[in-house]
Each structure stands twice: as structure tokens, then as C-alpha cells.
Amino acid sequence: MSDLLQNPPDLAFMRQRLFEPREEVVLSAEGWDTYWDYVTNGLQTFYYRCRLYPKEDGKAQGTGERMRTIRKSAPCKASLRVVAHHHWGFNEAFDKPHQYVLRLVNECVSHTHLLADIDVFKKPKALMKIAGGEIANGYEAAAVSKVMKGRRGGV
């Protein structure tokens, strides 16, 4: 297999820092591209609410035979606000952000769980991309999964 997991430097530290910023976090565009996909398993897009953010109600979803209920976990009201700063230039609508600033929406509300607890529900986007690439290269999903479980490095 290719170098399946060439982890970025300080991955575990950066995941925790981005998961629950105690103070404003400023990342370059390169830093964002390097680390953000390793945190997206715990956050949802558009204002980045925690994946365990409470839903409208805890009632069963659907009306079929399977009547699946919403996952049972402690609700977490943590939310992040991400501001992308652009270099405005000739093609300003298409300029890639040069810096990202992450901040908790309400500094009094922190996560009610650990980052490892989220990894049980959803794997980070970065790992899903790596696995998909290896499967596209012809490796079996079970083999890729086995290698990744042994070499996560903070994920």
C-alpha cells in the first residue's frame, strides 16, 4: 500500500485545539487544508455545530418497520464560528482564503464529551478520503480498514 497515513505534525494536539478552541485559533490556508479534515467528524457544516448537538426532539424517526431512534448520547451545545479571510484581488470572488479564524460561538459552552467519543460515531473526512483513495487503487476495504486502525496517530 502507499504511505497510508503520513500524519501531519502535531496531529493529536491540533485536533484537540480545533475541536475545542480555548482561545481564538488562526490558521493559514495551508494549515487549514492540513488539519481541518481531521476534525470534521465532530462538526457539521454551515456553522459547525457539534455532531452531538441536540436535535428538535428525541422521538423515533420514520414510520417504517425499522423505526430508528436518534443516537443516545449526552447532548452537546458547542458550536464553532469559522471566518475565512481572503486576499481581495483581481479575481476576488475566486480567491482562496489565506487565513481561517476559529472561535467558540459561546465561550461559556464547551463540549460535554471527548474528541475520542465523536470518533466512535463518525470518522474524520481526511481518513475517509485516504481510505477511498486506497480502495480506488484496488485494495480491499477490509485490508485498508485494518491498516488504518493500526496506524491512526491521534485519530
Side-chain angles (χ1 to χ4, degrees):
M1 274 187 218
S2 63
D3 280 336
L4 193 55
L5 280 180
Q6 290 279 333
N7 290 333
D10 300 320
L11 178 59
F13 170 76
M14 287 302 295
R15 284 187 81 218
Q16 187 61 42
R17 187 172 175 216
L18 297 176
F19 174 69
E20 188 163 16
R22 299 280 182 209
E23 57 192 35
E24 184 174 274
V25 176
V26 179
L27 292 174
S28 66
E30 181 182 347
W32 176 266
D33 291 340
T34 301
Y35 294 107
W36 184 247
D37 281 353
Y38 285 95
V39 185
T40 57
N41 59 329
L43 305 169
Q44 294 177 337
T45 55
F46 297 116
Y47 217 76
Y48 299 105
R49 285 182 168 172
C50 179
R51 186 164 293 281
L52 299 180
Y53 198 88
K55 306 292 187 246
E56 303 271 331
D57 58 30
K59 295 179 183 174
Q61 295 176 343
T63 58
E65 291 180 17
R66 293 186 62 203
M67 292 293 289
R68 297 183 68 186
T69 57
I70 296 173
R71 74 175 61 96
K72 305 240 190 284
S73 59
C76 179
K77 293 196 172 194
S79 295
L80 292 177
R81 180 180 66 172
V82 178
V83 178
H85 295 273
H86 295 266
H87 285 298
W88 299 110
F90 179 70
N91 290 326
E92 60 188 49
F94 301 103
D95 283 351
K96 183 176 182 178
H98 72 281
Q99 184 182 68
Y100 295 84
V101 179
L102 289 81
R103 183 183 302 223
L104 283 172
V105 172
N106 181 346
E107 293 178 11
C108 297
V109 177
S110 61
H111 287 279
T112 59
H113 53 87
L114 302 173
L115 183 55
D117 297 334
I118 286 294
D119 289 339
V120 172
F121 292 118
K122 178 84 169 97
K123 297 300 177 214
K125 188 176 182 180
L127 293 183
M128 301 300 279
K129 284 181 182 178
I130 292 168
E134 293 302 315
I135 291 168
N137 286 336
Y139 294 101
E140 291 186 21
V144 173
S145 178
K146 183 177 180 180
V147 170
M148 292 180 79
K149 284 180 182 176
R151 299 187 59 207
R152 285 194 208 160
V155 181

